[in-house]
Amino acid sequence: MPNMLQKNFSMIRTREELLNEISRDDPLRNIYHGWNEDQQNEFLDFCTGVKGVKILYDAFFKEVMDPSAVPERLNELLSLILNQKIRILNVLPNESPHIAEETSLVIMDIVVELENRSLANIEIQRQGYMFPGQRAACYSADLLLRQYKRIRSEKNKAGRKFSYRDIKKVYTIIFYDKSPMEFHQFPNDCIHRARHKTDTGLEIDLLQEYAFIPLDICRKILHNKGINSKLEAWLVFLSSDDPEWIIRLSEKYPQFRTYYEEIYMLCLNTEKVMSMFSKELQELDRNTVQYMIDTMQEEIDKQRQIIGERDAALLEKEADLAEKDQEIKELKAKLAQLQ
């Protein structure tokens, strides 16, 4: 009997059809048997509609959200997040040095130039990095400096004088599949928007704005309250692989049905989707190792700090004792003089 998603998306194959294709092809069979049983079942489940597809898998996300091919989709998402009309003008090469150092926890990282020449860095992290605020500030500063250098260069080439009024806003937008612990102190908030402002109310444009979106928290909130806006629809699309919610979302906002259809058409290319899944498994392993390294390093740093504080306290106590010993010696000497 067809499952819920097979009934709604006729291109989804049955488990038997998919296994038959794999068994007839030696390379595919070798890949499949290289996975453990849980991994095999996960692959079969999302390809056959038993479970929903994880949109944040790299290949699936790029299939439906590529700003070069379908910019209107990311335009809409960014417009809803930033509360203003957004239109992507160009996708820029990503030159940030942190990409080379920290790719293991990153699903997607793109820089786009908007119609008004502002820049936006959109990143999706599998496992939220520690120190999210510090990292985001560095990303934003890097983006702002990049824009400054580019505009100065353009002005120089055109023989025109540079003006700071030509520098536009930079937006740093970070989605977390699994958010850092700081965000779990706010279990009722899906989006945290931030910008610099003065303590007096003086309006001065400091150019840098941020949006932090913990998708794991969004998933819990929206599953309890339902989908009541287009922004919430997008957050469900990005965060949920529950078949019931996929159907509900597709019925309420038909545009998402089109996106799911594109993904399930991709699943018909068994060789491609198996290769993609293998890469995802490798990245998940790297993620686990990187997260363990970060966690252990933080624990080591904390212990070193505690030991350092204790050592400092011991040294201070030893100094106090030495001082008291000296005072006792001086008092004994004085007592001997009095006798």
Side-chain angles (χ1 to χ4, degrees):
M1 179 180 294
N3 60 47
M4 182 184 300
L5 288 175
Q6 287 174 339
K7 290 178 181 178
N8 283 270
F9 300 94
S10 60
M11 71 287 290
I12 297 178
R13 292 176 290 179
T14 66
R15 192 181 186 93
E16 292 71 25
E17 289 171 334
L18 183 54
L19 285 173
N20 284 338
E21 180 182 354
I22 293 172
S23 66
R24 293 193 302 267
D25 187 295
D26 288 341
L28 297 185
R29 188 168 61 250
N30 291 336
I31 294 173
Y32 180 77
H33 289 294
W35 300 333
N36 63 41
E37 185 177 355
D38 288 341
Q39 292 166 343
Q40 291 174 351
N41 287 328
E42 181 181 356
F43 174 78
L44 294 173
D45 283 351
F46 76 69
C47 280
T48 61
V50 174
K51 293 181 180 178
V53 172
K54 293 182 179 178
I55 301 300
L56 295 186
Y57 276 178
D58 184 66
F60 291 146
F61 191 90
K62 289 178 179 176
E63 186 74 14
V64 296
M65 297 298 291
D66 182 359
S68 298
V70 284
E72 67 278 2
R73 297 176 184 178
L74 198 55
N75 284 344
E76 181 177 77
L77 178 57
L78 294 181
S79 297
L80 293 167
I81 291 170
L82 299 176
N83 290 320
Q84 59 181 290
K85 186 68 174 178
I86 295 294
R87 191 174 82 85
I88 294 172
L89 190 63
N90 293 306
V91 180
L92 304 179
N94 202 321
E95 301 170 352
S96 297
H98 79 275
I99 299 303
E101 299 170 0
E102 303 173 342
T103 52
S104 62
L105 301 185
V106 174
I107 296 173
M108 181 204 72
D109 193 302
I110 61 171
V111 175
V112 294
E113 182 181 27
L114 307 181
E115 189 175 28
N116 65 355
R117 302 301 301 275
S118 296
L119 298 183
N121 181 196
I122 305 102
E123 179 174 291
I124 300 177
Q125 295 181 12
R126 301 173 188 275
Q127 177 77 52
Y129 286 111
M130 295 175 183
F131 314 113
Q134 293 91 327
R135 290 178 184 272
C138 289
Y139 301 167
S140 178
D142 181 76
L143 198 61
L144 190 60
L145 181 60
R146 175 179 176 178
Q147 181 187 191
Y148 168 79
K149 289 179 177 179
R150 177 174 57 85
I151 291 176
R152 282 196 72 100
S153 176
E154 290 175 354
K155 293 286 187 179
N156 288 337
K157 289 179 181 178
R160 297 163 59 192
K161 186 177 179 180
F162 169 80
S163 170
Y164 279 99
R165 72 167 59 90
D166 297 318
I167 304 295
K168 305 299 181 183
K169 284 186 182 295
V170 295
Y171 301 96
T172 302
I173 302 164
I174 303 178
F175 295 87
Y176 302 100
D177 190 22
K178 294 182 179 178
S179 57
M181 60 182 180
E182 292 93 331
F183 292 88
H184 292 265
Q185 299 175 35
F186 298 86
N188 299 315
D189 296 295
C190 274
I191 299 180
H192 303 267
R193 300 178 179 89
R195 67 181 182 90
H196 303 294
K197 63 179 182 179
T198 65
D199 61 351
T200 60
L202 171 67
E203 287 296 329
I204 182 168
D205 192 354
L206 296 175
L207 297 176
Q208 296 164 286
E209 295 192 14
Y210 307 83
F212 303 94
I213 305 165
L215 292 172
D216 50 348
I217 294 174
C218 294
R219 185 162 48 245
K220 294 177 182 178
I221 294 172
L222 298 173
H223 274 221
N224 289 331
K225 69 187 285 282
I227 309 169
N228 298 304
S229 70
K230 179 62 73 68
L231 176 56
E232 291 178 350
W234 271 106
L235 296 177
V236 168
F237 177 69
L238 294 174
S239 67
S240 181
D241 61 355
D242 184 330
E244 182 178 343
W245 278 86
I246 289 174
I247 300 304
R248 191 180 303 181
L249 176 61
S250 300
E251 290 175 347
K252 189 164 187 177
Y253 294 95
Q255 74 184 73
F256 293 99
R257 179 179 181 84
T258 301
Y259 307 160
Y260 286 118
E261 287 175 346
E262 292 175 8
I263 289 170
Y264 287 121
M265 289 301 295
L266 175 63
C267 287
L268 296 178
N269 186 335
T270 307
E271 180 180 1
K272 182 175 181 179
V273 79
M274 288 185 76
S275 175
M276 175 274 295
F277 186 63
S278 291
K279 290 178 182 178
E280 290 291 336
L281 294 178
Q282 292 172 2
E283 287 299 321
L284 287 171
D285 286 341
R286 291 177 61 195
N287 291 348
T288 302
V289 172
Q290 183 65 52
Y291 185 69
M292 289 174 65
I293 290 171
D294 286 352
T295 302
M296 292 173 67
Q297 186 62 55
E298 184 184 34
E299 185 61 30
I300 289 170
D301 291 343
K302 285 181 179 178
Q303 291 299 324
R304 283 177 175 164
Q305 182 180 357
I306 292 171
I307 291 170
E309 290 172 353
R310 287 176 179 172
D311 286 347
L314 286 172
L315 288 173
E316 186 177 346
K317 287 181 180 178
E318 287 177 1
D320 288 343
L321 291 173
E323 186 178 341
K324 285 183 171 62
D325 282 340
Q326 183 61 34
E327 289 178 1
I328 289 172
K329 288 179 182 178
E330 291 174 357
L331 289 171
K332 285 181 176 179
K334 187 173 183 180
L335 181 61
Q337 291 175 356
L338 294 172
Q339 287 178 342

